[in-house]
Amino acid sequence: MSQSLEPLLAAYDPEAFRAVGHRLIDTLADYLQGAMQGAMPVLPDAPPERTVPAYAGFPAKPSGEQLVDLVSRVLGQSNHLHHPRYIGHQVSSPLPMAALCDMVAALTNNGMAVYEMGPAATAMELAVVEFMAKALGFDPARAGGVLTSGGSVGNLTALLAMRQAKAGFNVWEDGAQGGPKLGVLVSEQAHYSVARAVRIMGWGREGVVPVATDARFRLRPDALAGALARAAEAGVRVIGVVSSSCGTSLGAFDPIEPIADFCEEHGLWLHVDGAHGAAAVLSPKHAGLLRGVERADSVVWDAHKMMCMPALVTGVIYRDGAHGGQAFSQQAAYLFAKNAYDSGERTLECTKRMMSLKVYAALRLLGTDAIGAYVGEMFDMGKRFARLVAERPGLELATDPDCNIVCFRVRKEGLAAGPGLDALQVAIRAQLLASGEFYIVQTKLPAGTFLRVTLVNPLTTDAELTRLIDRVEELAARHGTPST
């Protein structure tokens, strides 16, 4: 054996792994405890001009640095999503159990394109897909789907299935030039990944046919017919509608029932982008937000948003499971055996990690009621936070929220809507981030710039939210009254 391999082979030693693993778990547990107790700022003091150079370069020989030391450095320079005041992007505070499952997935490294490479992973994925299908109201005997890496890939996967089912010609074999220009009706509030998927499919800008939204930023069913007519006049044949459950900026749920009626009348595919909001079906109190979803042809559901999972794990669920295989009708004799268990025939991914384990473990070990209760509490907290905002005369809600995404802004006497008011919101957010006290984001709406919170953290309390509002008002007061 070459001596040059000795450092690598030593890294496979089970006893060394055991020792390092114990130390690493202790380090992570201490970190988790500190984050949950709010013993650190939400955001690290890690400006790129200092952090990026600190990680540059690799030695030719072992550096002598221990894994625990490296991880400690990484933890100190990362965002702390288990902090009760992390209420920023739609990224979960993941269950520690799920993190351990990801370690198992990484160590076993069972790719899942074919069943024989991941037998347990495949069985668990089928169970999770069936669970999601049933929760959405689909017939499990007919439905099907796949788990994939994120909502963007999920939306593309579903739209590829739509294209193959509704194009009227074999796009997979003949290409886009084999028929007319195709398009899809899309809400003005839809996630950017939908437009990106359309462009990836080669439909270009005209392939995204915008549909107007109402005062609460929901797709207007009465605007679908006009959008369809405009597309036809432009020579675009619309084959589907994308409904958002919910929109990213404000968390607005499109009304699925009348959209489904329109799709049924015109023979269109209905895709529901439920990346954030599909989990509402697990909460009896909030399931009505997705009334009619059982009529959709496809649904995307991110478990890493509202099921406490680490990224990434997304369900692409079809009312008719056969559509999943038709989207990628391809020969690969060296890999696929053409059976129902090879997930590689239903997804872009070939070497796909065992992403099913963490979802399966949470559902099996905690129970489905626990996840449903979490969804219900986060949505309820969004409503409570909105009421707190509405009670403050100096604050303004963008709209009454449908779920756990809430947008609001400071109003200041003498400062009209426009660049000055927008700049005030940006300044307040910047100061919150600089202090590390809270992590919130911002969004641009037709009325201007708004502060935005997403309540996905089960460790957040109403007291934290009251403190946020107090701090926002304090920072606004420090800016003084501008001249007009």
Side-chain angles (χ1 to χ4, degrees):
M1 180 191 307
S2 170
Q3 288 186 337
S4 62
L5 281 179
E6 289 180 2
L8 184 67
L9 294 176
Y12 283 89
D13 179 66
E15 292 308 314
F17 174 72
R18 190 189 314 277
V20 172
H22 286 167
R23 290 184 62 200
L24 184 60
I25 292 296
D26 286 342
T27 298
L28 291 172
D30 289 344
Y31 163 77
L32 179 64
Q33 184 177 45
M36 290 173 61
Q37 293 175 348
M40 60 191 72
V42 184
L43 297 173
D45 179 21
E49 57 271 15
R50 187 174 72 232
T51 306
V52 173
Y55 285 87
F58 302 99
K61 302 295 182 182
S63 67
E65 186 177 23
Q66 299 298 307
L67 178 61
V68 171
D69 298 329
L70 173 59
V71 168
S72 295
R73 179 156 58 106
V74 169
L75 293 173
Q77 296 172 331
S78 297
N79 289 349
H80 310 307
L81 274 66
H82 292 91
H83 195 296
R85 293 180 177 180
Y86 174 85
I87 47 178
H89 289 289
Q90 296 154 273
V91 182
S92 74
S93 309
L95 289 164
M97 172 205 309
L100 294 176
C101 289
D102 265 356
M103 182 180 71
V104 175
L107 186 66
T108 56
N109 200 30
N110 276 208
M112 291 181 55
V114 293
Y115 174 82
E116 66 185 39
M117 278 299 294
T122 299
M124 289 186 291
E125 176 163 322
L126 291 172
V128 171
V129 166
E130 182 178 9
F131 164 78
M132 289 181 166
K134 285 182 178 178
L136 293 167
F138 293 161
D139 177 1
R142 184 185 176 202
V146 69
L147 299 183
T148 191
S149 298
S152 295
V153 176
N155 279 328
L156 174 60
T157 301
L159 294 186
L160 287 169
M162 173 195 70
R163 184 181 70 174
Q164 195 67 5
K166 293 291 187 179
F169 61 101
N170 193 335
V171 187
W172 186 257
E173 293 294 332
D174 301 332
Q177 68 276 12
K181 292 190 292 185
L182 302 176
V184 61
L185 302 181
V186 180
S187 160
E188 295 172 342
Q189 291 295 316
H191 191 265
Y192 76 88
S193 65
V194 175
R196 179 173 288 182
V198 166
R199 285 163 170 79
I200 289 171
M201 292 192 297
W203 296 359
R205 179 178 55 82
E206 288 185 313
V208 179
V209 182
V211 183
T213 55
D214 63 18
R216 295 188 61 186
F217 302 92
R218 300 170 300 186
L219 183 147
R220 285 175 41 203
D222 64 341
L224 287 168
L228 184 65
R230 289 194 304 273
E233 291 173 4
V236 175
R237 187 162 77 83
V238 169
I239 62 173
V241 178
V242 175
S243 175
S244 297
S245 292
C246 51
T248 302
S249 286
L250 288 123
F253 283 72
D254 293 340
I256 299 175
E257 281 279 20
I259 297 172
D261 290 341
F262 181 85
C263 289
E264 188 174 298
E265 178 184 353
H266 295 276
L268 304 177
W269 180 283
L270 173 56
H271 173 61
V272 174
D273 180 1
H276 182 93
V281 297
L282 304 179
S283 168
K285 181 177 180 180
H286 301 285
L289 290 167
L290 283 107
R291 186 173 291 109
V293 71
E294 72 281 355
R295 299 173 63 187
D297 294 287
S298 57
V299 179
V300 159
W301 179 344
D302 283 357
H304 57 271
K305 285 192 170 67
M306 291 303 300
M307 291 182 71
C308 300
M309 292 292 109
L312 291 164
V313 52
T314 294
V316 184
I317 314 298
Y318 301 102
R319 182 157 49 95
D320 181 349
H323 287 308
Q326 292 167 2
F328 302 99
S329 180
Q330 194 167 8
Q331 295 296 322
Y334 56 87
L335 192 62
F336 300 138
K338 293 295 179 185
N339 64 66
Y341 302 108
D342 291 346
S343 67
E345 296 195 76
R346 299 186 297 279
T347 177
L348 294 167
E349 297 165 290
C350 181
T351 307
K352 186 177 75 173
R353 67 181 296 142
M354 189 193 292
M355 61 180 69
S356 55
L357 173 58
K358 53 194 173 187
V359 186
Y360 185 89
L363 292 172
R364 188 170 181 85
L365 302 182
L366 297 181
T368 59
D369 286 352
I371 304 299
Y374 156 75
V375 175
E377 173 58 20
M378 294 299 98
F379 279 35
D380 286 345
M381 185 176 283
K383 291 286 188 180
R384 295 198 300 271
F385 178 64
R387 287 198 295 271
L388 290 173
V389 170
E391 290 169 359
R392 304 290 181 103
L395 301 180
E396 174 191 8
L397 282 171
T399 184
D400 186 40
D402 283 343
C403 61
N404 56 333
I405 298 174
V406 186
C407 294
F408 69 103
R409 68 179 173 183
V410 174
R411 295 304 301 264
K412 204 167 183 63
E413 186 177 351
L415 189 60
L421 189 61
D422 291 349
L424 176 61
Q425 319 307 316
V426 173
I428 289 171
R429 175 179 180 267
Q431 289 182 263
L432 285 173
L433 268 58
S435 70
E437 188 176 0
F438 286 93
Y439 185 64
I440 67 173
V441 295
Q442 65 191 47
T443 189
K444 189 75 172 177
L445 302 175
T449 299
F450 281 74
L451 302 174
R452 178 178 175 274
V453 302
T454 304
L455 303 170
V456 295
N457 189 343
L459 307 168
T460 301
T461 66
D462 288 1
E464 307 284 359
L465 299 179
T466 299
R467 176 58 181 160
L468 170 63
I469 293 174
D470 290 342
R471 286 290 290 134
V472 166
E473 290 190 327
E474 289 169 13
L475 292 171
R478 290 180 190 175
H479 280 266
T481 303
S483 59
T484 55

